[in-house]
Amino acid sequence: MEVVRSESTQARSDNKLPPPAAPKPRVQVWFVTVCSTILIWTCLVQLFAAGELWRTRIFTGQVSRFSAPDKPVPLPPPLPPPRNYTSNGILLVSCNGGLNQMRSAICDMVTVARLLNLTLVVPELDKTSFWADPSGFEDIFDVRHFIDSLRDEVRVLRRLPKRYSTKYGYHMFEMPPVSWSDENYYLKQVLPLFSKHKVVHFNRTDTRLANNGLSLPLQWLRCRVNFQGLKFTPQLEALGSKLVRILQQRGPFLALHLRYEMDMLAFSGCTHGCSQEEAEELKKMRYTYPWWREKEINSEERRAQGLCPLTPEEVALVLKALGFDQNTQIYIAAGEIYGSEHRLSVLREAFPRIVKKEMLLESGELQQFQNHSSQMAALDFMVSVASNTFIPTYDGNMAKVVEGHRRYLGFKKTILLDRKRLVELLDLHNNKTLTWDQFAVAVKEAHERRRGAPTHRRVISDKPKEEDYFYANPQECLCEGTNCHDLSGHRNSTLTR
């Protein structure tokens, strides 16, 4: 054996071969491979992020150089500086109701968070109401814009930090704030709760902030959120703009918020013009939902008090009396009309140019928004705001919020129907006590001062439900000065102060 090793050694020496390398341990090879992979992926991620940051600017710069060299590409407006403050806690809110009720609530909750120096979590939207819409905030509103545009007022988080989640054993304090509450309520009764509970969850948000009596900066902030902070998603904005463009190409148009829908009729107990079977169906539906408080309702009494939406047949008479002719283009801003097309037959006969979004768009364009009532309502909202004339047949949340937007845009024509007076006139005309000419004159006279012109908001301090809604007439944001004595002008710059 010694001779063999010696010969082998001599052979290697003669051939000048290097000694064999020791094999590397497998763990070392694995470690080097993993580290190299991580390094490569980190570099790729950084390059991708940098590319995304500059892609738009480079691309638009190229377009500008090739197509319009004399016009510099406008840069996006700078973000407001973030507000520097010490947060008193985290406010989590769950909005209830339909789209426009939730919209107003979001504006209120941002204002409450600003008043109390709280950090706000992006609001949760109602998914358990009659409409059962699964849409989240980010499905309807541009969440990035919402956070960025308000960052000089309120710090907004996309989601609640995990350490405060019930999954991690945190027991959150929940409460519904008292309705129509002013600053003193929130400062004296709500703010101390954050000293004991780091997070407070408002599980109801409708009408939780007073219409009147708030300081001007808070009223201005409510408007800023409503008119600037809450933008619909790019997809909704694009389709809404297309609807408006199609309608405008066909001429001036009237947006009719025909609230003759099953949920409204069941909720209000209004069955005028319905068959006995339909009346029973609506009553049954009302009893199905426990939060609809009133159950036994006298429909005719409710109608005489002006608390029922007008029927399509009544709307046809009222529109003709107001001076709209058969060539008027009418956009129906509503969901499914109760009774379907046969209930619209009289209205369509009087106004053949009635259209709905389903008639103006391809089925594929609406497909992603169908079965999402809030997203469909957002389309109707945009069309209603842009219309030449807006007429709601019931003063619900959409009617009020659209009215306020149209005031903000320069007091655009909005005819607010006096349903109590109209019911009297309609019944007199139908029983032939009033001729058509007498009826038409009376209808016009009743609405001469109900067309969305500048006016002061009605205040009833002991009956907040009966006073004018802030979001229907946010007068503090529409006039110069702090007292709003002169309401004849257009909107001003107070919103941006």
Side-chain angles (χ1 to χ4, degrees), residues 118-171:
L118 302 174
T119 298
L120 178 69
V121 180
V122 169
E124 299 175 350
L125 302 189
D126 194 341
K127 298 177 176 61
T128 62
S129 65
F130 164 80
W131 301 278
D133 187 346
S135 301
F137 187 100
E138 67 283 354
D139 298 314
I140 300 173
F141 299 110
D142 187 331
V143 66
R144 185 72 265 165
H145 173 81
F146 176 74
I147 294 173
D148 289 344
S149 66
L150 298 171
R151 70 182 197 150
D152 60 331
E153 296 283 1
V154 177
R155 187 178 303 137
V156 182
L157 304 178
R158 280 183 177 264
R159 57 189 60 85
L160 186 69
K162 289 183 178 180
R163 63 182 178 275
Y164 299 118
S165 172
T166 55
K167 294 181 180 179
Y168 288 80
Y170 185 82
H171 298 288

Side-chain angles (χ1 to χ4, degrees), residues 28 48 383 460:
Q28 183 179 355
F48 178 78
V383 175
I460 309 175

Side-chain angles (χ1 to χ4, degrees), residues 357 391 398:
K357 52 185 169 292
I391 301 180
M398 176 170 171

Side-chain angles (χ1 to χ4, degrees), residues 237-257:
E237 289 277 354
L239 197 57
S241 297
K242 181 175 182 178
L243 274 170
V244 172
R245 186 169 62 252
I246 292 172
L247 288 161
Q248 289 175 338
Q249 288 172 350
R250 300 181 176 194
F253 68 96
L254 181 159
L256 178 66
H257 187 217

Side-chain angles (χ1 to χ4, degrees), residues 86 92 103 138 161 180 183 328 387 432 452 469:
T86 300
L92 182 67
R103 183 189 187 103
E138 67 283 354
W180 314 112
E183 295 173 56
T328 302
S387 64
K432 302 190 184 305
Y469 191 41

Side-chain angles (χ1 to χ4, degrees), residues 442-453:
V443 169
K444 288 187 178 73
E445 289 178 349
H447 295 88
E448 284 181 356
R449 298 185 179 182
R450 300 177 63 90
R451 296 174 180 258

Side-chain angles (χ1 to χ4, degrees), residues 122-333:
V122 169
E124 299 175 350
L125 302 189
D126 194 341
K127 298 177 176 61
T128 62
S129 65
F130 164 80
W131 301 278
D133 187 346
S135 301
F137 187 100
E138 67 283 354
D139 298 314
I140 300 173
F141 299 110
D142 187 331
V143 66
R144 185 72 265 165
H145 173 81
F146 176 74
I147 294 173
D148 289 344
S149 66
L150 298 171
R151 70 182 197 150
D152 60 331
E153 296 283 1
V154 177
R155 187 178 303 137
V156 182
L157 304 178
R158 280 183 177 264
R159 57 189 60 85
L160 186 69
K162 289 183 178 180
R163 63 182 178 275
Y164 299 118
S165 172
T166 55
K167 294 181 180 179
Y168 288 80
Y170 185 82
H171 298 288
M172 192 177 304
F173 181 80
E174 296 189 0
M175 62 172 290
V178 176
S179 298
W180 314 112
S181 296
D182 59 12
E183 295 173 56
N184 286 332
Y185 165 78
Y186 283 101
L187 288 169
K188 294 180 180 180
Q189 299 189 44
V190 175
L191 182 57
L193 295 173
F194 287 89
S195 299
K196 183 178 181 181
H197 312 278
K198 185 63 178 177
V199 181
V200 174
H201 178 203
F202 288 173
N203 50 24
R204 290 187 69 86
T205 58
D206 58 320
T207 63
R208 304 294 148 162
L209 193 58
N211 290 312
N212 305 290
L214 302 182
S215 62
L216 280 173
L218 291 183
Q219 299 290 53
W220 288 335
L221 179 56
R222 295 169 91 176
C223 292
R224 179 176 168 184
V225 183
N226 192 24
F227 300 127
Q228 297 179 11
L230 286 175
K231 286 178 58 178
F232 293 120
T233 63
Q235 295 83 359
L236 282 169
E237 289 277 354
L239 197 57
S241 297
K242 181 175 182 178
L243 274 170
V244 172
R245 186 169 62 252
I246 292 172
L247 288 161
Q248 289 175 338
Q249 288 172 350
R250 300 181 176 194
F253 68 96
L254 181 159
L256 178 66
H257 187 217
L258 189 59
R259 197 65 171 93
Y260 199 78
E261 298 158 302
M262 188 176 186
D263 66 295
M264 175 50 64
L265 298 179
F267 173 77
S268 62
C270 297
T271 58
H272 181 76
C274 294
S275 66
Q276 184 63 35
E277 291 77 12
E278 289 173 329
E280 287 298 323
E281 181 181 36
L282 294 172
K283 182 178 180 179
K284 181 178 179 181
M285 179 181 180
R286 183 164 66 253
Y287 276 87
T288 301
Y289 293 91
W291 54 88
W292 289 359
R293 297 179 182 176
E294 295 183 69
K295 301 302 180 182
E296 289 297 330
I297 298 176
N298 186 312
S299 175
E300 291 306 313
E301 286 183 5
R302 184 66 63 94
R303 177 174 177 268
Q305 295 168 354
L307 301 177
C308 289
L310 298 181
T311 69
E313 296 84 358
E314 291 172 334
V315 171
L317 292 173
V318 171
L319 291 182
K320 286 195 292 185
L322 287 170
F324 295 98
D325 60 33
Q326 63 177 1
N327 292 319
T328 302
Q329 182 182 201
I330 298 178
Y331 175 87
I332 301 293

